[in-house]
Amino acid sequence: MSYTNSSKKKVALIDCNSFYVSCERLFNPKIQNVPVVVLSNNDGCVISRSTEAKKIGIKMGEPYFKVKDLVKKNNVQIFSSNYALYGDLSRRVMKVLKGFTDKIEIYSIDEAFLDLSHIKDEQVENYGKQIRERVLKWTGIPTSVGISNTKTLSKVANHIAKKNKAGVIFLKKNIDTILKNFDIADIWGVGRQLSKLYIKNGINNAYKLKNISNTWVKKSTNVLGAKTVMELRGIPCIDLETEETKRKSCCVSRSFGKKVESLDKLKESITTHCLNAAEKIRTDKQTTRAVTVFIRTSPFDKNRKYYSNSITIELPVATNNSIELVKTAISGLKKIYKYGYFYQKAGIILSKLRDASEKELNLLAPILENKSKPLMRAIDFTNAKYGRNAISIAQAGISNDWKMRREHSSRIDTASFDFLPKINI
DNA sequence: TCTGGGGTCCTAGGACCC
DNA sequence: TCTGGGGTCCTAGGACCC
């Protein structure tokens, strides 16, 4: 095992601070230093909080209705999520980061790992500062930077950097002291189930997990658990994934704004979701071989019986044709729909995705292959130009009552001139 | 009244084959 | 009388992430 090599390795995790809140703040100077919260779809849960909102005691993932009193009392600014805006700003941030190195893994909408092995130890903290400053200056988004030997340790470093004024931590010395104070549940890769198991066995901080026996962790968890332990020891096991890969499955689902009983309304929503999913995979030049439809009632409603079901239908030939996929999805929906339930959510998953260019092995393929490619292209073009769902199919319906609630949307559109700030002279 | 959405990977266990 | 067992592939479900 080459310890010298691995100890030279340096990986940085750049994480945007309260990303969605920061995005909203960019276009709204009035909410700079006040508590701000962004809600999930349907205004369901809190998914981003400013530091002021955290201090008040609003917790991550909490249902909005449970914190409404806190919100009112403290005059918290509320926003429905605007993913078009966040996606656009995310692209800008990542573009700036790519300017530092092409050895980059875009890990999520607001996080990226950078390989900084080429920077000397003495300089790396300063380099981290430069990254922060440039991202802030060029995009307006504040970030935190954690640097260490492995991805897992850089996550730890980032966690600490978030609470540190400088915003940059290079974790190299005194790692054990830090790990002793690091909660087991905050470790990357340790979720609810694993932390329960670890705590039951007296492992309640990162230092104890680091020093657990290999045999025990392999026996009690799985390879991922073992990798986490190795990474805490400073031995890199989780590689940087610098290649951008296409997705393997594509899911579109929504909760309803209002509970839905009728098959017709479920059909409308499944059709809408299916059209969106089909458009997504066409954008990525992919086809699918399997369609899953699922519906469920609310798991929180104790007064009504719970029902949840799904069905997966394999397609004889890989396709990305909207009309064919909708037909398949609706036939599946009819099989799992049960009368008499109040449905809360419906969705569709396209799986077994592959490149559209891959040759179909099925002999019938040339006959079955849709002749509607020009039609799909026309639909995609029009929807890109005039907004999603500008062209839809009749089955998607025009009734509105099951659709999402977004009562607090900022409606900012970075692609529209109307939203540029105005200066009065 | 009101509890998100979209992914990936791993594993156990069944089906099947020889 | 005696009724195998190892390998591979696939899938559903679970756990994790943000």
Side-chain angles (χ1 to χ4, degrees):
Chain A
M1 195 186 302
S2 109
Y3 268 81
T4 41
N5 262 344
S6 63
S7 68
K8 270 185 193 161
K9 191 165 176 170
K10 277 190 279 296
V11 45
L13 174 66
I14 290 87
D15 189 321
C16 300
N17 299 344
S18 311
F19 183 55
Y20 298 167
V21 166
S22 298
C23 292
E24 297 290 347
R25 275 181 169 168
L26 267 188
F27 295 88
N28 192 341
K30 284 183 202 152
I31 58 169
Q32 286 311 319
N33 298 305
V34 301
V36 184
V37 148
V38 175
L39 302 176
S40 63
N41 279 331
N42 254 319
D43 296 343
C45 296
V46 172
I47 52 171
S48 184
R49 307 159 296 157
S50 69
T51 38
E52 299 84 1
K54 286 174 194 169
K55 267 182 207 155
I56 289 166
I58 296 176
K59 297 208 183 77
M60 184 67 177
E62 231 176 347
Y64 176 45
F65 72 90
K66 284 191 181 170
V67 296
K68 257 186 179 166
D69 283 348
L70 267 178
V71 163
K72 229 177 192 170
K73 211 163 73 191
N74 296 280
N75 196 23
V76 179
Q77 301 300 301
I78 299 291
F79 290 86
S80 303
S81 36
N82 179 350
Y83 289 105
L85 173 67
Y86 312 149
D88 186 32
L89 289 167
S90 171
R91 274 185 294 277
R92 295 186 198 182
V93 169
M94 298 308 166
K95 205 174 161 189
V96 177
L97 294 179
K98 280 176 188 167
F100 285 93
T101 172
D102 53 359
K103 285 188 199 155
I104 176 172
E105 173 184 344
I106 297 171
Y107 180 65
S108 75
I109 193 163
D110 69 336
E111 277 174 83
F113 290 104
L114 265 64
D115 188 335
L116 297 186
S117 304
H118 58 291
I119 310 289
K120 288 193 182 116
D121 277 12
E122 312 84 74
Q123 292 165 1
V124 78
E125 194 167 324
N126 197 39
Y127 196 76
K129 276 184 195 155
Q130 285 177 41
I131 295 176
R132 285 193 81 210
E133 279 159 21
R134 196 186 293 176
V135 173
L136 184 64
K137 197 169 173 187
W138 291 10
T139 70
I141 300 290
T143 57
S144 301
V145 180
I147 308 162
S148 194
N149 226 22
T150 66
K151 278 173 144 183
T152 306
L153 285 175
S154 78
K155 275 270 183 186
V156 171
N158 190 284
H159 200 91
I160 309 216
K162 278 249 170 345
K163 294 171 186 160
N164 186 296
K165 212 172 174 204
V168 181
I169 294 284
F170 175 38
L171 195 59
K172 173 134 205 228
K173 292 175 201 154
N174 302 324
I175 294 186
D176 285 350
T177 322
I178 302 252
L179 294 187
K180 275 176 192 165
N181 290 304
F182 203 82
D183 200 290
I184 192 81
D186 290 336
I187 301 169
W188 189 48
V190 179
R192 271 238 279 291
Q193 299 307 313
L194 272 185
S195 48
K196 216 193 279 174
L197 170 83
Y198 288 147
I199 287 169
K200 207 173 78 186
N201 287 276
I203 307 157
N204 56 5
N205 64 48
Y207 179 74
K208 285 186 185 163
L209 185 61
K210 174 187 170 179
N211 288 304
I212 214 70
S213 92
N214 281 343
T215 30
W216 185 85
V217 78
K218 272 182 200 153
K219 189 186 69 197
S220 315
T221 71
N222 57 23
V223 292
L224 296 178
K227 278 187 180 178
T228 300
V229 173
M230 294 298 268
E231 289 236 330
L232 285 175
R233 293 174 188 162
I235 301 160
C237 299
I238 307 171
D239 292 334
L240 223 64
E241 280 167 39
T242 51
E243 303 275 311
E244 278 183 46
T245 51
K246 289 191 182 181
R247 59 159 84 84
K248 292 164 184 167
S249 66
C250 176
C251 171
V252 174
S253 71
R254 289 288 176 279
S255 299
F256 299 118
K258 214 164 88 186
K259 301 269 185 296
V260 162
E261 263 194 283
S262 78
L263 178 60
D264 277 347
K265 296 240 163 79
L266 285 177
K267 273 189 196 167
E268 284 181 16
S269 80
I270 287 292
T271 301
T272 306
H273 299 337
C274 192
L275 289 174
N276 286 336
E279 191 182 319
K280 279 189 186 181
I281 67 167
R282 283 201 299 273
T283 304
D284 292 347
K285 299 200 166 31
Q286 288 181 298
T287 54
T288 176
R289 294 199 47 132
V291 180
T292 303
V293 182
F294 65 90
I295 50 175
R296 64 150 211 234
T297 62
S298 170
F300 302 102
D301 191 342
K302 299 283 174 266
N303 300 321
R304 295 205 186 103
K305 246 171 79 185
Y306 181 63
Y307 175 66
S308 168
N309 205 353
S310 75
I311 185 169
T312 301
I313 299 169
E314 306 257 339
L315 300 162
V317 174
T319 183
N320 58 22
N321 179 306
S322 289
I323 295 163
E324 232 173 275
L325 291 173
V326 167
K327 241 192 271 173
T328 310
I330 295 300
S331 75
L333 171 65
K334 284 181 186 160
K335 289 196 183 119
I336 55 172
Y337 171 78
K338 272 200 208 164
Y339 175 77
Y341 288 92
F342 291 80
Y343 293 94
Q344 181 246 358
K345 183 173 183 170
I348 180 149
I349 304 165
L350 306 181
S351 53
K352 296 190 173 176
L353 299 184
R354 52 161 80 172
D355 271 342
S357 60
E358 264 180 65
K359 286 275 172 286
E360 182 60 68
L361 295 172
N362 190 323
L363 286 177
L364 292 173
I367 303 161
L368 292 172
E369 187 168 3
N370 62 77
K371 294 190 175 87
S372 53
K373 264 187 194 157
L375 173 61
M376 292 303 124
R377 259 204 296 273
I379 291 175
D380 292 343
F381 176 77
T382 311
N383 284 345
K385 197 165 174 189
Y386 299 103
R388 187 156 261 183
N389 305 334
I391 293 189
S392 185
I393 63 178
Q395 194 142 48
I398 43 166
S399 74
N400 249 333
D401 52 347
W402 52 267
K403 296 206 170 128
M404 264 204 305
R405 279 191 312 273
R406 296 182 79 212
E407 286 168 19
H408 307 278
S409 175
S410 57
R411 289 195 290 275
I412 291 158
D413 181 354
T414 44
S416 163
F417 284 112
D418 297 341
F419 288 95
L420 285 176
K422 292 182 191 73
I423 302 171
N424 295 316
I425 305 172

